[in-house]
Amino acid sequence: MNLSAIHLEQKVKTKTNMPMLIPYGRQSIDEDDIKAVVEVLRSDWLTTGPKVEEFEKVVAEYLEAACAVAVSSGTAGLHCAMHALGIGPGDEVIVPAMTFAASANCVIYTGAVPVFSDVDPETLLLDVNLAEKKITSKTKAIIGVDYAGQPCVWDDLHKIADKYNLALVADGCHALGAEYKGTKVGNLADMTVFSFHPVKHITTGEGGMIVTNKPELAEKMRIFRNHGITTDHRQREETGSWFYEMKFLGYNYRLSDFQCALGISQLNKLPYWISRRQKIAGRYNAAFAGSSSIRPLSVLKDVSHAYHLYIVRIDSRACVMDRTMLFHVLRSSGIGANVHYIPVHLHPFYKEHLGTHPGQCPVAEKAYEQIISLPIYPEMTDEEQDYVIDVMKGLMR
Ligand SMILES: *Cc1c(COP(=O)(O)O)cnc(C)c1O
């Protein structure tokens, strides 16, 4: 264990004041993080400077991937990935129904159509057999969401991607540090997108990163995040030239240097934080083992789960109330439970825009009625967790 891990463990053990609301997730920021950001604020480069490249390098190294492209959010990263694949009007992209809206919105941004596919009832990961049935001559790609921090069944996704010549994108926003058959998320699809929102594994405030082993895709995304302009401000400064060309329509999806400095500092602590998340999940699993009313989602063998979320299903016959009531009781007991997610095809925008409707993805819709996300974050204390467990168990028959 390195010094920062010991320091972090001390912090977890000695934190005894329970907050008013135990959140479902939250960031950990220490003095090293603050120092790293302040150093950049005192430097010449607030954005498009050396910290961007450094952050990309350390993330690529950690994930053992060839290229990483830093962007302003996970959502921007998904848009970059769609652009790099040349997705556009007339194309279809298969997306699981059980995910955050951004996984599908990125397809809409390009003028293409997200096709919602249902999930496996036990894991709530994309059901690959059902996804295959959604493939048409217009399908260009599949976005696999490593939901809650558990990798998709990537071997099966590769089989159908190869068979129909489709690109694979991983929405890995929940799964930084997760592994599938010993391979880290980041090397399991053509491109993998991560988010650095404060509830995710590491944070830059807002931020994201796309990781790929295909340099030509990385190059397209670097230009896309900078308006479609082929050189950036720093490159022009270094070559002493004012000339630049905008080759196609891009966006300003850049991540600032002080955010990248925070990301670099946060990444040092990621392995310890993942072990904390796994330990907390293990304690929940042990506490709920044998309960017929509180059932954690299944974990596949051959995966290392990164536990962005800890999700259980509630059997309303065994609970004294349904999931919605349970949610309100937990909230009023100071437990910041949450629901991840409302299936995307049930949102008004998709109903109006694509004509989606209830009944389209019955497994995701049924799960949505039953799931609840319980608090999990690296600095959660045993005391806080025991309180959550006691309240949950007290509400079951
Ligand atoms: C957080 C998240 C995103 C979006 O990331 P932002 O950085 O908030 O834009 C996309 N997909 C999933 C599954 C997420 O959880």
Side-chain angles (χ1 to χ4, degrees):
M1 203 187 286
N2 61 29
L3 264 180
S4 84
I6 293 167
H7 160 76
L8 290 168
E9 191 151 274
Q10 221 58 28
K11 204 163 155 187
V12 168
K13 279 192 185 136
T14 55
K15 195 175 139 217
T16 52
N17 305 341
M18 281 217 258
M20 293 294 287
L21 186 79
I22 301 171
Y24 83 88
R26 66 160 285 138
Q27 73 276 14
S28 303
I29 299 284
D30 65 13
E31 287 305 316
D32 290 344
D33 294 327
I34 293 166
K35 220 174 108 200
V37 173
V38 169
E39 246 167 52
V40 174
L41 291 176
R42 296 188 201 283
S43 80
D44 289 338
W45 293 98
L46 296 190
T47 193
T48 325
K51 289 294 171 191
V52 179
E53 270 169 49
E54 190 185 332
F55 187 32
E56 290 174 343
K57 188 165 160 276
V58 293
V59 169
E61 274 170 12
Y62 169 73
L63 296 173
E64 295 163 42
C67 314
V69 180
V71 287
S72 53
S73 69
T75 305
L78 287 163
H79 190 188
C80 288
M82 292 297 106
H83 167 80
L85 293 173
I87 306 284
D91 295 337
E92 292 178 355
V93 176
I94 294 172
V95 181
M98 181 55 80
T99 185
F100 182 53
S103 312
N105 295 351
C106 65
V107 181
I108 299 276
Y109 296 158
T110 69
V113 173
V115 174
F116 295 105
S117 196
D118 214 345
V119 291
D120 175 87
E122 298 307 314
T123 59
L124 305 187
L125 294 168
L126 191 65
D127 181 321
V128 181
N129 290 323
L130 293 177
E132 183 171 6
K133 296 200 176 88
K134 301 278 181 190
I135 295 170
T136 70
S137 59
K138 293 177 180 174
T139 310
K140 291 287 168 355
I142 299 175
I143 300 178
V145 177
D146 296 325
Y147 175 75
Q150 166 155 245
C152 294
V153 186
W154 285 103
D155 280 353
D156 292 354
L157 281 169
H158 276 282
K159 272 183 210 144
I160 65 167
D162 290 348
K163 189 168 158 192
Y164 300 95
N165 193 27
L166 307 176
L168 286 180
V169 174
D171 179 339
C173 289
H174 294 182
L176 183 62
E179 292 176 17
Y180 174 79
K181 297 189 174 174
T183 301
K184 281 210 178 78
V185 167
N187 294 284
L188 296 159
D190 295 304
M191 281 172 282
T192 304
V193 180
F194 297 104
S195 164
F196 307 131
H197 180 276
V199 294
K200 306 291 165 70
H201 288 85
I202 66 170
T203 191
T204 59
E206 298 279 359
M209 188 85 79
I210 315 100
V211 171
T212 179
N213 288 315
K214 299 187 172 174
E216 67 282 8
L217 293 176
E219 193 48 36
K220 282 184 186 161
M221 294 188 286
R222 285 184 206 290
I223 299 171
F224 190 68
R225 76 169 169 192
N226 190 34
H227 307 280
I229 293 170
T230 49
T231 58
D232 69 31
H233 180 68
R234 184 156 160 258
Q235 285 165 332
R236 286 196 296 280
E237 186 124 324
E238 279 168 359
T239 58
S241 163
W242 51 265
F243 184 78
Y244 63 82
E245 280 185 315
M246 188 188 122
K247 291 281 175 66
F248 54 78
L249 184 66
Y251 291 78
N252 176 354
Y253 281 160
R254 296 184 305 254
L255 190 61
S256 71
D257 270 53
F258 51 92
Q259 289 175 295
C260 289
L262 179 55
I264 295 162
S265 177
Q266 290 258 302
L267 189 68
N268 289 327
K269 291 161 276 196
L270 178 64
Y272 174 70
W273 285 343
I274 290 172
S275 72
R276 278 291 306 154
R277 287 177 178 276
Q278 290 173 337
K279 209 163 165 182
I280 293 164
R283 283 184 97 240
Y284 275 136
N285 287 341
F288 301 143
S291 167
S292 55
S293 45
I294 308 170
R295 288 193 304 119
L297 296 183
S298 300
V299 179
L300 302 167
K301 56 174 169 41
D302 301 332
V303 306
S304 176
H305 196 312
Y307 285 107
H308 161 56
L309 299 172
Y310 185 83
I311 298 171
V312 295
R313 297 176 89 132
I314 301 303
D315 183 340
S316 56
R317 287 162 307 182
C319 179
V320 295
M321 60 191 73
D322 69 7
R323 190 284 318 273
T324 301
M325 268 265 281
L326 176 67
F327 171 86
H328 292 299
V329 171
L330 291 175
R331 281 282 171 108
S332 61
S333 308
I335 297 169
N338 220 319
V339 175
H340 298 93
Y341 291 95
I342 301 165
V344 184
H345 67 285
L346 299 183
H347 285 298
F349 169 80
Y350 281 101
K351 288 181 177 169
E352 284 157 29
H353 192 79
L354 295 181
T356 57
H357 53 83
Q360 204 179 317
C361 296
V363 178
E365 290 167 29
K366 184 174 172 212
Y368 165 57
E369 302 293 329
Q370 302 174 328
I371 50 177
I372 195 151
S373 306
L374 299 180
I376 187 167
Y377 49 92
E379 291 184 45
M380 186 180 194
T381 62
D382 288 356
E383 184 191 6
E384 287 166 338
Q385 189 179 14
D386 290 341
Y387 175 68
V388 175
I389 291 166
D390 286 348
V391 173
M392 284 292 286
K393 283 188 160 174
L395 293 167
M396 301 300 141
R397 279 194 221 283

